[in-house]
Amino acid sequence: MARIGMIGAGSWGTALSKLLDGNGHEVTVWSAIKDEIDMLNRYREHKDKLPGVPLGDRMIFTGDLKQALCDKDAIVLAVPSPFTRKTSHLMKEVIPKDQRVISVAKGIEEDTLLTLTGVIKDEIPDCRTVVLCGPSHAEEVGRGMPTAIVAGSRDMKDSETVQDLFMCEVFRVYTSDDPYGMELGGALKNVIALAAGIADGLGYGDNTKAALITRGIHEISVLGEAAGGKRETFQGLTGIGDLIVTCASMHSRNRRAGILIGQGKSYDEAMKEVNQVVEGVYSAKAAVALAKKYGVQLPIIEQVNEILFYGKSPSKALCELMGRARKEEFT
Ligand SMILES: NC(=O)c1ccc[n+]([C@@H]2O[C@H](COP(=O)([O-])OP(=O)(O)OC[C@H]3O[C@@H](n4cnc5c(N)ncnc54)[C@H](O)[C@@H]3O)[C@@H](O)[C@H]2O)c1
């Protein structure tokens, strides 16, 4: 039995807490939102983010960050990516040296172009980071549906420790020594999911979706490899796997936002209607900046940026993608 601090009580933090509790660990869940902690203590269910999923009696819900961070074997950081720096900064004051921090959010920081473990290390230099990601919707993990995911760290011992914490009969955890590639795959697939949603919103079908997924993973690999990730990582669960699940599912807020934009809603209207952090929007800008830094072209991701931030119409963006100069599939 391990003692785990879960930082963030949204859909993913709640689903992972339930899983860890089911694995026999002692889980202390922290949220920055007092009402959320009150609700979790009162109902032992996250009524908004994971309704219908009962949470175990042993789980502790607290607004006291110290209680969630002290005397723990590992910390899971599960706040949406725009809150990673602020939350890591708060944690820094309390967290013991050499603590394992498992990063489960997906994103690239816009200003620094750091992936989230980079942001965490920037704020808490003394911690050991491990990435846990892959194709995994909270709604399905919370209901015990079979899922396969990857724990990644440069130090394989840390990857294996995290594998041991999470692995069970419905949650298969592989290990990797390429956390950076995993993080890039996890962040960039959200941008392609926006594109897939836009195509859905325009009324296009399976051919268009398959083209976006396949050429999308190509763009992710081109940038990811240029930035230092391993090619096979983008072909695995945290690359193509996560891209497929995000582009195909209505659980994805990125895809849902894309659908609304494809249907003609403005950026602001779409964000308001989804009413959750749409992380692909942040990663889209960062991806273009990274592409510039590494001198690679990302046609789909560039068009998503044009639509989101420069008012290009989705149909014009799609026309431009289709009208690019003819080329070989693999160059
Ligand atoms: N939901 C999923 O299925 C899923 C699966 C895999 C990975 N992820 C990743 O996990 C991360 C969290 O996703 P989620 O679905 O739980 O998001 P969410 O939108 O459900 O998270 C909202 C939660 O974030 C916390 N929060 C809100 N404002 C905050 C603030 N100002 N400071 C600190 N914390 C604050 C609160 O606990 C709130 O409930 C994301 O990066 C997401 O990409 C999600």
Side-chain angles (χ1 to χ4, degrees), residues 8-13 30-33 36 46 49 78-81 83 86-87 104-106 134 136-139 190 253 276-277 279:
S11 322
W12 197 218
W30 173 88
S31 169
I33 303 168
E36 188 164 54
H46 201 311
K49 305 269 177 181
V79 297
S81 52
F83 309 131
K86 195 180 82 181
T87 309
V104 299
K106 295 170 181 172
S136 48
H137 287 309
E139 293 80 355
N190 284 334
R253 61 194 78 169
Q276 283 172 304
V277 179
E279 290 172 316

PDB file of all heavy atoms in Angstrom, residues 8-13 30-33 36 46 49 78-81 83 86-87 104-106 134 136-139 190 253 276-277 279, ligand 1:
ATOM      1  N   GLY A   8      -5.567  18.021  -7.773  1.00  0.00           N
ATOM      2  CA  GLY A   8      -6.539  18.278  -8.841  1.00  0.00           C
ATOM      3  C   GLY A   8      -7.643  17.253  -8.782  1.00  0.00           C
ATOM      4  O   GLY A   8      -7.381  16.043  -8.744  1.00  0.00           O
ATOM      5  N   ALA A   9      -8.875  17.757  -8.729  1.00  0.00           N
ATOM      6  CA  ALA A   9     -10.029  16.852  -8.582  1.00  0.00           C
ATOM      7  C   ALA A   9     -11.019  17.059  -9.713  1.00  0.00           C
ATOM      8  O   ALA A   9     -12.228  17.096  -9.497  1.00  0.00           O
ATOM      9  CB  ALA A   9     -10.685  17.085  -7.223  1.00  0.00           C
ATOM     10  N   GLY A  10     -10.489  17.202 -10.931  1.00  0.00           N
ATOM     11  CA  GLY A  10     -11.371  17.238 -12.100  1.00  0.00           C
ATOM     12  C   GLY A  10     -11.701  15.817 -12.521  1.00  0.00           C
ATOM     13  O   GLY A  10     -11.533  14.862 -11.742  1.00  0.00           O
ATOM     14  N   SER A  11     -12.106  15.645 -13.768  1.00  0.00           N
ATOM     15  CA  SER A  11     -12.499  14.303 -14.237  1.00  0.00           C
ATOM     16  C   SER A  11     -11.346  13.314 -14.092  1.00  0.00           C
ATOM     17  O   SER A  11     -11.526  12.192 -13.614  1.00  0.00           O
ATOM     18  CB  SER A  11     -12.876  14.322 -15.723  1.00  0.00           C
ATOM     19  OG  SER A  11     -13.541  15.459 -16.066  1.00  0.00           O
ATOM     20  N   TRP A  12     -10.161  13.730 -14.527  1.00  0.00           N
ATOM     21  CA  TRP A  12      -9.048  12.781 -14.575  1.00  0.00           C
ATOM     22  C   TRP A  12      -8.509  12.494 -13.183  1.00  0.00           C
ATOM     23  O   TRP A  12      -8.256  11.344 -12.825  1.00  0.00           O
ATOM     24  CB  TRP A  12      -7.982  13.313 -15.517  1.00  0.00           C
ATOM     25  CG  TRP A  12      -6.963  12.320 -15.988  1.00  0.00           C
ATOM     26  CD1 TRP A  12      -5.635  12.568 -16.179  1.00  0.00           C
ATOM     27  CD2 TRP A  12      -7.152  10.939 -16.357  1.00  0.00           C
ATOM     28  NE1 TRP A  12      -4.999  11.439 -16.643  1.00  0.00           N
ATOM     29  CE2 TRP A  12      -5.904  10.425 -16.762  1.00  0.00           C
ATOM     30  CE3 TRP A  12      -8.250  10.094 -16.372  1.00  0.00           C
ATOM     31  CZ2 TRP A  12      -5.730   9.100 -17.177  1.00  0.00           C
ATOM     32  CZ3 TRP A  12      -8.076   8.770 -16.782  1.00  0.00           C
ATOM     33  CH2 TRP A  12      -6.839   8.285 -17.179  1.00  0.00           C
ATOM     34  N   GLY A  13      -8.345  13.537 -12.372  1.00  0.00           N
ATOM     35  CA  GLY A  13      -7.871  13.338 -11.000  1.00  0.00           C
ATOM     36  C   GLY A  13      -8.822  12.423 -10.240  1.00  0.00           C
ATOM     37  O   GLY A  13      -8.389  11.525  -9.502  1.00  0.00           O
ATOM     38  N   TRP A  30      -6.628  16.674  -3.366  1.00  0.00           N
ATOM     39  CA  TRP A  30      -6.688  18.113  -3.092  1.00  0.00           C
ATOM     40  C   TRP A  30      -7.296  18.843  -4.285  1.00  0.00           C
ATOM     41  O   TRP A  30      -7.042  18.501  -5.435  1.00  0.00           O
ATOM     42  CB  TRP A  30      -5.273  18.651  -2.862  1.00  0.00           C
ATOM     43  CG  TRP A  30      -5.203  20.153  -2.729  1.00  0.00           C
ATOM     44  CD1 TRP A  30      -5.343  20.885  -1.574  1.00  0.00           C
ATOM     45  CD2 TRP A  30      -4.961  21.110  -3.767  1.00  0.00           C
ATOM     46  NE1 TRP A  30      -5.212  22.227  -1.845  1.00  0.00           N
ATOM     47  CE2 TRP A  30      -4.978  22.391  -3.189  1.00  0.00           C
ATOM     48  CE3 TRP A  30      -4.749  21.007  -5.148  1.00  0.00           C
ATOM     49  CZ2 TRP A  30      -4.777  23.561  -3.920  1.00  0.00           C
ATOM     50  CZ3 TRP A  30      -4.558  22.171  -5.891  1.00  0.00           C
ATOM     51  CH2 TRP A  30      -4.561  23.437  -5.277  1.00  0.00           C
ATOM     52  N   SER A  31      -8.084  19.866  -3.986  1.00  0.00           N
ATOM     53  CA  SER A  31      -8.535  20.761  -5.054  1.00  0.00           C
ATOM     54  C   SER A  31      -8.403  22.195  -4.581  1.00  0.00           C
ATOM     55  O   SER A  31      -8.551  22.497  -3.384  1.00  0.00           O
ATOM     56  CB  SER A  31     -10.001  20.478  -5.407  1.00  0.00           C
ATOM     57  OG  SER A  31     -10.484  21.507  -6.259  1.00  0.00           O
ATOM     58  N   ALA A  32      -8.170  23.093  -5.539  1.00  0.00           N
ATOM     59  CA  ALA A  32      -8.095  24.525  -5.246  1.00  0.00           C
ATOM     60  C   ALA A  32      -9.496  25.093  -5.007  1.00  0.00           C
ATOM     61  O   ALA A  32      -9.649  26.208  -4.518  1.00  0.00           O
ATOM     62  CB  ALA A  32      -7.439  25.247  -6.426  1.00  0.00           C
ATOM     63  N   ILE A  33     -10.504  24.298  -5.375  1.00  0.00           N
ATOM     64  CA  ILE A  33     -11.881  24.806  -5.312  1.00  0.00           C
ATOM     65  C   ILE A  33     -12.586  24.224  -4.089  1.00  0.00           C
ATOM     66  O   ILE A  33     -12.818  23.006  -4.013  1.00  0.00           O
ATOM     67  CB  ILE A  33     -12.639  24.433  -6.612  1.00  0.00           C
ATOM     68  CG1 ILE A  33     -11.879  24.999  -7.821  1.00  0.00           C
ATOM     69  CG2 ILE A  33     -14.068  24.934  -6.586  1.00  0.00           C
ATOM     70  CD1 ILE A  33     -12.362  24.474  -9.152  1.00  0.00           C
ATOM     71  N   GLU A  36     -15.747  22.180  -4.521  1.00  0.00           N
ATOM     72  CA  GLU A  36     -15.516  20.851  -5.091  1.00  0.00           C
ATOM     73  C   GLU A  36     -15.187  19.846  -3.971  1.00  0.00           C
ATOM     74  O   GLU A  36     -15.719  18.734  -3.935  1.00  0.00           O
ATOM     75  CB  GLU A  36     -14.352  20.940  -6.084  1.00  0.00           C
ATOM     76  CG  GLU A  36     -14.121  19.695  -6.890  1.00  0.00           C
ATOM     77  CD  GLU A  36     -13.233  19.977  -8.114  1.00  0.00           C
ATOM     78  OE1 GLU A  36     -12.128  20.533  -7.929  1.00  0.00           O
ATOM     79  OE2 GLU A  36     -13.656  19.654  -9.239  1.00  0.00           O
ATOM     80  N   HIS A  46     -18.120  12.784  -7.768  1.00  0.00           N
ATOM     81  CA  HIS A  46     -17.961  14.098  -8.404  1.00  0.00           C
ATOM     82  C   HIS A  46     -19.164  14.310  -9.306  1.00  0.00           C
ATOM     83  O   HIS A  46     -19.218  13.803 -10.419  1.00  0.00           O
ATOM     84  CB  HIS A  46     -16.644  14.182  -9.199  1.00  0.00           C
ATOM     85  CG  HIS A  46     -16.210  15.594  -9.414  1.00  0.00           C
ATOM     86  ND1 HIS A  46     -17.067  16.565  -9.885  1.00  0.00           N
ATOM     87  CD2 HIS A  46     -15.025  16.235  -9.198  1.00  0.00           C
ATOM     88  CE1 HIS A  46     -16.424  17.721  -9.958  1.00  0.00           C
ATOM     89  NE2 HIS A  46     -15.183  17.554  -9.537  1.00  0.00           N
ATOM     90  N   LYS A  49     -18.180  16.313 -12.733  1.00  0.00           N
ATOM     91  CA  LYS A  49     -17.148  15.840 -13.666  1.00  0.00           C
ATOM     92  C   LYS A  49     -17.190  14.341 -13.922  1.00  0.00           C
ATOM     93  O   LYS A  49     -16.733  13.881 -14.962  1.00  0.00           O
ATOM     94  CB  LYS A  49     -15.757  16.191 -13.126  1.00  0.00           C
ATOM     95  CG  LYS A  49     -15.557  17.663 -12.824  1.00  0.00           C
ATOM     96  CD  LYS A  49     -15.014  18.367 -14.021  1.00  0.00           C
ATOM     97  CE  LYS A  49     -14.885  19.846 -13.776  1.00  0.00           C
ATOM     98  NZ  LYS A  49     -14.385  20.569 -14.898  1.00  0.00           N
ATOM     99  N   ALA A  78      -2.699  16.554 -11.454  1.00  0.00           N
ATOM    100  CA  ALA A  78      -3.783  16.297 -12.416  1.00  0.00           C
ATOM    101  C   ALA A  78      -4.623  17.544 -12.697  1.00  0.00           C
ATOM    102  O   ALA A  78      -5.775  17.427 -13.104  1.00  0.00           O
ATOM    103  CB  ALA A  78      -4.673  15.170 -11.887  1.00  0.00           C
ATOM    104  N   VAL A  79      -4.033  18.729 -12.493  1.00  0.00           N
ATOM    105  CA  VAL A  79      -4.797  19.936 -12.856  1.00  0.00           C
ATOM    106  C   VAL A  79      -4.640  20.176 -14.363  1.00  0.00           C
ATOM    107  O   VAL A  79      -3.618  19.792 -14.945  1.00  0.00           O
ATOM    108  CB  VAL A  79      -4.342  21.183 -12.053  1.00  0.00           C
ATOM    109  CG1 VAL A  79      -4.599  21.001 -10.566  1.00  0.00           C
ATOM    110  CG2 VAL A  79      -2.860  21.503 -12.303  1.00  0.00           C
ATOM    111  N   PRO A  80      -5.613  20.811 -15.026  1.00  0.00           N
ATOM    112  CA  PRO A  80      -5.443  21.119 -16.449  1.00  0.00           C
ATOM    113  C   PRO A  80      -4.178  21.952 -16.681  1.00  0.00           C
ATOM    114  O   PRO A  80      -3.765  22.742 -15.816  1.00  0.00           O
ATOM    115  CB  PRO A  80      -6.713  21.920 -16.777  1.00  0.00           C
ATOM    116  CG  PRO A  80      -7.721  21.459 -15.771  1.00  0.00           C
ATOM    117  CD  PRO A  80      -6.948  21.213 -14.519  1.00  0.00           C
ATOM    118  N   SER A  81      -3.574  21.779 -17.856  1.00  0.00           N
ATOM    119  CA  SER A  81      -2.239  22.338 -18.099  1.00  0.00           C
ATOM    120  C   SER A  81      -2.094  23.849 -17.836  1.00  0.00           C
ATOM    121  O   SER A  81      -1.031  24.265 -17.354  1.00  0.00           O
ATOM    122  CB  SER A  81      -1.764  21.987 -19.507  1.00  0.00           C
ATOM    123  OG  SER A  81      -2.726  22.339 -20.453  1.00  0.00           O
ATOM    124  N   PHE A  83      -3.006  25.444 -15.451  1.00  0.00           N
ATOM    125  CA  PHE A  83      -2.805  25.648 -14.013  1.00  0.00           C
ATOM    126  C   PHE A  83      -1.556  24.943 -13.485  1.00  0.00           C
ATOM    127  O   PHE A  83      -1.298  24.952 -12.284  1.00  0.00           O
ATOM    128  CB  PHE A  83      -4.013  25.148 -13.210  1.00  0.00           C
ATOM    129  CG  PHE A  83      -5.342  25.677 -13.683  1.00  0.00           C
ATOM    130  CD1 PHE A  83      -6.419  24.834 -13.897  1.00  0.00           C
ATOM    131  CD2 PHE A  83      -5.522  27.039 -13.919  1.00  0.00           C
ATOM    132  CE1 PHE A  83      -7.640  25.314 -14.345  1.00  0.00           C
ATOM    133  CE2 PHE A  83      -6.749  27.532 -14.365  1.00  0.00           C
ATOM    134  CZ  PHE A  83      -7.808  26.664 -14.583  1.00  0.00           C
ATOM    135  N   LYS A  86       1.182  27.424 -11.845  1.00  0.00           N
ATOM    136  CA  LYS A  86       0.704  28.042 -10.599  1.00  0.00           C
ATOM    137  C   LYS A  86       0.614  26.996  -9.477  1.00  0.00           C
ATOM    138  O   LYS A  86       1.033  27.241  -8.340  1.00  0.00           O
ATOM    139  CB  LYS A  86      -0.686  28.657 -10.869  1.00  0.00           C
ATOM    140  CG  LYS A  86      -1.143  29.617  -9.816  1.00  0.00           C
ATOM    141  CD  LYS A  86      -2.502  30.178 -10.154  1.00  0.00           C
ATOM    142  CE  LYS A  86      -3.590  29.215  -9.740  1.00  0.00           C
ATOM    143  NZ  LYS A  86      -4.952  29.655 -10.032  1.00  0.00           N
ATOM    144  N   THR A  87       0.115  25.824  -9.817  1.00  0.00           N
ATOM    145  CA  THR A  87      -0.052  24.778  -8.805  1.00  0.00           C
ATOM    146  C   THR A  87       1.312  24.244  -8.359  1.00  0.00           C
ATOM    147  O   THR A  87       1.544  24.027  -7.165  1.00  0.00           O
ATOM    148  CB  THR A  87      -0.950  23.643  -9.357  1.00  0.00           C
ATOM    149  OG1 THR A  87      -2.138  24.223  -9.888  1.00  0.00           O
ATOM    150  CG2 THR A  87      -1.314  22.652  -8.280  1.00  0.00           C
ATOM    151  N   VAL A 104       0.088  13.983 -15.217  1.00  0.00           N
ATOM    152  CA  VAL A 104      -0.916  13.309 -16.048  1.00  0.00           C
ATOM    153  C   VAL A 104      -1.674  14.291 -16.949  1.00  0.00           C
ATOM    154  O   VAL A 104      -2.588  13.899 -17.653  1.00  0.00           O
ATOM    155  CB  VAL A 104      -1.916  12.502 -15.177  1.00  0.00           C
ATOM    156  CG1 VAL A 104      -1.202  11.433 -14.378  1.00  0.00           C
ATOM    157  CG2 VAL A 104      -2.735  13.404 -14.257  1.00  0.00           C
ATOM    158  N   ALA A 105      -1.285  15.560 -16.901  1.00  0.00           N
ATOM    159  CA  ALA A 105      -1.959  16.549 -17.756  1.00  0.00           C
ATOM    160  C   ALA A 105      -1.246  16.616 -19.102  1.00  0.00           C
ATOM    161  O   ALA A 105      -0.173  16.037 -19.290  1.00  0.00           O
ATOM    162  CB  ALA A 105      -1.956  17.906 -17.066  1.00  0.00           C
ATOM    163  N   LYS A 106      -1.885  17.328 -20.053  1.00  0.00           N
ATOM    164  CA  LYS A 106      -1.336  17.354 -21.414  1.00  0.00           C
ATOM    165  C   LYS A 106      -1.270  18.795 -21.902  1.00  0.00           C
ATOM    166  O   LYS A 106      -2.294  19.487 -21.920  1.00  0.00           O
ATOM    167  CB  LYS A 106      -2.237  16.545 -22.352  1.00  0.00           C
ATOM    168  CG  LYS A 106      -2.255  15.066 -21.997  1.00  0.00           C
ATOM    169  CD  LYS A 106      -3.295  14.283 -22.735  1.00  0.00           C
ATOM    170  CE  LYS A 106      -3.263  12.819 -22.302  1.00  0.00           C
ATOM    171  NZ  LYS A 106      -4.353  12.027 -22.824  1.00  0.00           N
ATOM    172  N   GLY A 134      -1.695   8.356 -22.295  1.00  0.00           N
ATOM    173  CA  GLY A 134      -2.108   7.365 -23.279  1.00  0.00           C
ATOM    174  C   GLY A 134      -3.596   7.521 -23.545  1.00  0.00           C
ATOM    175  O   GLY A 134      -4.230   8.419 -22.986  1.00  0.00           O
ATOM    176  N   SER A 136      -7.022   7.393 -22.840  1.00  0.00           N
ATOM    177  CA  SER A 136      -7.715   7.085 -21.584  1.00  0.00           C
ATOM    178  C   SER A 136      -8.712   8.181 -21.251  1.00  0.00           C
ATOM    179  O   SER A 136      -8.324   9.259 -20.807  1.00  0.00           O
ATOM    180  CB  SER A 136      -6.684   6.987 -20.459  1.00  0.00           C
ATOM    181  OG  SER A 136      -5.802   8.103 -20.502  1.00  0.00           O
ATOM    182  N   HIS A 137      -9.976   7.910 -21.466  1.00  0.00           N
ATOM    183  CA  HIS A 137     -11.005   8.867 -21.042  1.00  0.00           C
ATOM    184  C   HIS A 137     -11.368   8.588 -19.591  1.00  0.00           C
ATOM    185  O   HIS A 137     -11.613   7.427 -19.224  1.00  0.00           O
ATOM    186  CB  HIS A 137     -12.266   8.715 -21.896  1.00  0.00           C
ATOM    187  CG  HIS A 137     -12.101   9.238 -23.283  1.00  0.00           C
ATOM    188  ND1 HIS A 137     -11.612  10.495 -23.546  1.00  0.00           N
ATOM    189  CD2 HIS A 137     -12.373   8.683 -24.483  1.00  0.00           C
ATOM    190  CE1 HIS A 137     -11.579  10.685 -24.850  1.00  0.00           C
ATOM    191  NE2 HIS A 137     -12.021   9.607 -25.442  1.00  0.00           N
ATOM    192  N   ALA A 138     -11.460   9.654 -18.809  1.00  0.00           N
ATOM    193  CA  ALA A 138     -11.825   9.513 -17.390  1.00  0.00           C
ATOM    194  C   ALA A 138     -13.151   8.770 -17.239  1.00  0.00           C
ATOM    195  O   ALA A 138     -13.306   7.927 -16.348  1.00  0.00           O
ATOM    196  CB  ALA A 138     -11.928  10.904 -16.763  1.00  0.00           C
ATOM    197  N   GLU A 139     -14.092   9.069 -18.127  1.00  0.00           N
ATOM    198  CA  GLU A 139     -15.440   8.482 -18.017  1.00  0.00           C
ATOM    199  C   GLU A 139     -15.358   6.954 -18.102  1.00  0.00           C
ATOM    200  O   GLU A 139     -16.170   6.253 -17.505  1.00  0.00           O
ATOM    201  CB  GLU A 139     -16.327   8.997 -19.166  1.00  0.00           C
ATOM    202  CG  GLU A 139     -16.659  10.482 -19.102  1.00  0.00           C
ATOM    203  CD  GLU A 139     -15.536  11.397 -19.611  1.00  0.00           C
ATOM    204  OE1 GLU A 139     -14.433  10.899 -19.934  1.00  0.00           O
ATOM    205  OE2 GLU A 139     -15.769  12.616 -19.655  1.00  0.00           O
ATOM    206  N   ASN A 190      -4.159  17.015 -29.235  1.00  0.00           N
ATOM    207  CA  ASN A 190      -5.329  17.862 -28.983  1.00  0.00           C
ATOM    208  C   ASN A 190      -5.548  18.866 -30.116  1.00  0.00           C
ATOM    209  O   ASN A 190      -6.675  19.278 -30.383  1.00  0.00           O
ATOM    210  CB  ASN A 190      -5.162  18.618 -27.663  1.00  0.00           C
ATOM    211  CG  ASN A 190      -5.410  17.716 -26.459  1.00  0.00           C
ATOM    212  OD1 ASN A 190      -6.137  16.725 -26.564  1.00  0.00           O
ATOM    213  ND2 ASN A 190      -4.809  18.053 -25.317  1.00  0.00           N
ATOM    214  N   ARG A 253     -13.116  17.158 -25.325  1.00  0.00           N
ATOM    215  CA  ARG A 253     -13.567  18.551 -25.371  1.00  0.00           C
ATOM    216  C   ARG A 253     -12.920  19.291 -26.538  1.00  0.00           C
ATOM    217  O   ARG A 253     -13.481  20.239 -27.058  1.00  0.00           O
ATOM    218  CB  ARG A 253     -13.263  19.255 -24.043  1.00  0.00           C
ATOM    219  CG  ARG A 253     -11.792  19.290 -23.722  1.00  0.00           C
ATOM    220  CD  ARG A 253     -11.511  19.664 -22.307  1.00  0.00           C
ATOM    221  NE  ARG A 253     -11.726  18.541 -21.412  1.00  0.00           N
ATOM    222  CZ  ARG A 253     -11.348  18.535 -20.138  1.00  0.00           C
ATOM    223  NH1 ARG A 253     -10.774  19.594 -19.613  1.00  0.00           N
ATOM    224  NH2 ARG A 253     -11.545  17.471 -19.387  1.00  0.00           N
ATOM    225  N   GLN A 276     -15.127  24.109 -20.594  1.00  0.00           N
ATOM    226  CA  GLN A 276     -14.014  23.414 -19.931  1.00  0.00           C
ATOM    227  C   GLN A 276     -12.746  23.953 -20.585  1.00  0.00           C
ATOM    228  O   GLN A 276     -12.825  24.545 -21.669  1.00  0.00           O
ATOM    229  CB  GLN A 276     -14.086  21.905 -20.195  1.00  0.00           C
ATOM    230  CG  GLN A 276     -15.129  21.168 -19.386  1.00  0.00           C
ATOM    231  CD  GLN A 276     -15.242  19.727 -19.861  1.00  0.00           C
ATOM    232  OE1 GLN A 276     -15.486  19.464 -21.031  1.00  0.00           O
ATOM    233  NE2 GLN A 276     -15.061  18.800 -18.950  1.00  0.00           N
ATOM    234  N   VAL A 277     -11.597  23.696 -19.960  1.00  0.00           N
ATOM    235  CA  VAL A 277     -10.347  24.136 -20.577  1.00  0.00           C
ATOM    236  C   VAL A 277     -10.126  23.300 -21.852  1.00  0.00           C
ATOM    237  O   VAL A 277     -10.075  22.077 -21.790  1.00  0.00           O
ATOM    238  CB  VAL A 277      -9.148  23.914 -19.613  1.00  0.00           C
ATOM    239  CG1 VAL A 277      -7.852  24.350 -20.272  1.00  0.00           C
ATOM    240  CG2 VAL A 277      -9.369  24.660 -18.303  1.00  0.00           C
ATOM    241  N   GLU A 279      -7.501  22.405 -24.083  1.00  0.00           N
ATOM    242  CA  GLU A 279      -6.038  22.543 -24.041  1.00  0.00           C
ATOM    243  C   GLU A 279      -5.393  22.643 -25.415  1.00  0.00           C
ATOM    244  O   GLU A 279      -4.332  23.237 -25.566  1.00  0.00           O
ATOM    245  CB  GLU A 279      -5.437  21.362 -23.266  1.00  0.00           C
ATOM    246  CG  GLU A 279      -5.754  21.444 -21.788  1.00  0.00           C
ATOM    247  CD  GLU A 279      -5.329  20.190 -21.025  1.00  0.00           C
ATOM    248  OE1 GLU A 279      -5.586  19.087 -21.527  1.00  0.00           O
ATOM    249  OE2 GLU A 279      -4.761  20.338 -19.936  1.00  0.00           O
TER     250      GLU A 279
HETATM  251  N1  LIG B   1     -10.497  13.876 -18.622  1.00  0.00           N
HETATM  252  C1  LIG B   1      -9.805  12.900 -19.191  1.00  0.00           C
HETATM  253  O1  LIG B   1     -10.374  11.925 -19.677  1.00  0.00           O
HETATM  254  C2  LIG B   1      -8.316  12.971 -19.240  1.00  0.00           C
HETATM  255  C3  LIG B   1      -7.603  11.832 -19.593  1.00  0.00           C
HETATM  256  C4  LIG B   1      -6.229  11.902 -19.665  1.00  0.00           C
HETATM  257  C5  LIG B   1      -5.576  13.084 -19.378  1.00  0.00           C
HETATM  258  N2  LIG B   1      -6.306  14.174 -19.045  1.00  0.00           N
HETATM  259  C6  LIG B   1      -5.571  15.393 -18.765  1.00  0.00           C
HETATM  260  O2  LIG B   1      -5.640  15.641 -17.373  1.00  0.00           O
HETATM  261  C7  LIG B   1      -5.684  17.044 -17.108  1.00  0.00           C
HETATM  262  C8  LIG B   1      -6.891  17.355 -16.263  1.00  0.00           C
HETATM  263  O3  LIG B   1      -8.015  17.032 -17.045  1.00  0.00           O
HETATM  264  P1  LIG B   1      -9.473  16.954 -16.432  1.00  0.00           P
HETATM  265  O4  LIG B   1     -10.324  16.280 -17.434  1.00  0.00           O
HETATM  266  O5  LIG B   1      -9.433  16.408 -15.047  1.00  0.00           O
HETATM  267  O6  LIG B   1      -9.833  18.493 -16.416  1.00  0.00           O
HETATM  268  P2  LIG B   1     -11.048  19.182 -15.691  1.00  0.00           P
HETATM  269  O7  LIG B   1     -11.478  20.314 -16.549  1.00  0.00           O
HETATM  270  O8  LIG B   1     -12.071  18.189 -15.289  1.00  0.00           O
HETATM  271  O9  LIG B   1     -10.312  19.773 -14.398  1.00  0.00           O
HETATM  272  C9  LIG B   1     -10.916  20.750 -13.699  1.00  0.00           C
HETATM  273  C10 LIG B   1     -10.318  20.716 -12.306  1.00  0.00           C
HETATM  274  O10 LIG B   1      -9.100  21.454 -12.276  1.00  0.00           O
HETATM  275  C11 LIG B   1      -8.952  21.995 -10.982  1.00  0.00           C
HETATM  276  N3  LIG B   1      -8.819  23.456 -11.088  1.00  0.00           N
HETATM  277  C12 LIG B   1      -9.699  24.327 -11.622  1.00  0.00           C
HETATM  278  N4  LIG B   1      -9.228  25.589 -11.523  1.00  0.00           N
HETATM  279  C13 LIG B   1      -8.039  25.496 -10.917  1.00  0.00           C
HETATM  280  C14 LIG B   1      -7.061  26.447 -10.546  1.00  0.00           C
HETATM  281  N5  LIG B   1      -7.223  27.750 -10.788  1.00  0.00           N
HETATM  282  N6  LIG B   1      -5.928  26.003  -9.962  1.00  0.00           N
HETATM  283  C15 LIG B   1      -5.729  24.679  -9.735  1.00  0.00           C
HETATM  284  N7  LIG B   1      -6.643  23.734 -10.058  1.00  0.00           N
HETATM  285  C16 LIG B   1      -7.772  24.139 -10.644  1.00  0.00           C
HETATM  286  C17 LIG B   1     -10.208  21.643 -10.198  1.00  0.00           C
HETATM  287  O11 LIG B   1      -9.965  20.495  -9.421  1.00  0.00           O
HETATM  288  C18 LIG B   1     -11.217  21.342 -11.295  1.00  0.00           C
HETATM  289  O12 LIG B   1     -12.210  20.428 -10.941  1.00  0.00           O
HETATM  290  C19 LIG B   1      -5.720  17.712 -18.476  1.00  0.00           C
HETATM  291  O13 LIG B   1      -4.440  18.124 -18.845  1.00  0.00           O
HETATM  292  C20 LIG B   1      -6.175  16.622 -19.424  1.00  0.00           C
HETATM  293  O14 LIG B   1      -5.674  16.767 -20.742  1.00  0.00           O
HETATM  294  C21 LIG B   1      -7.645  14.144 -18.957  1.00  0.00           C
END
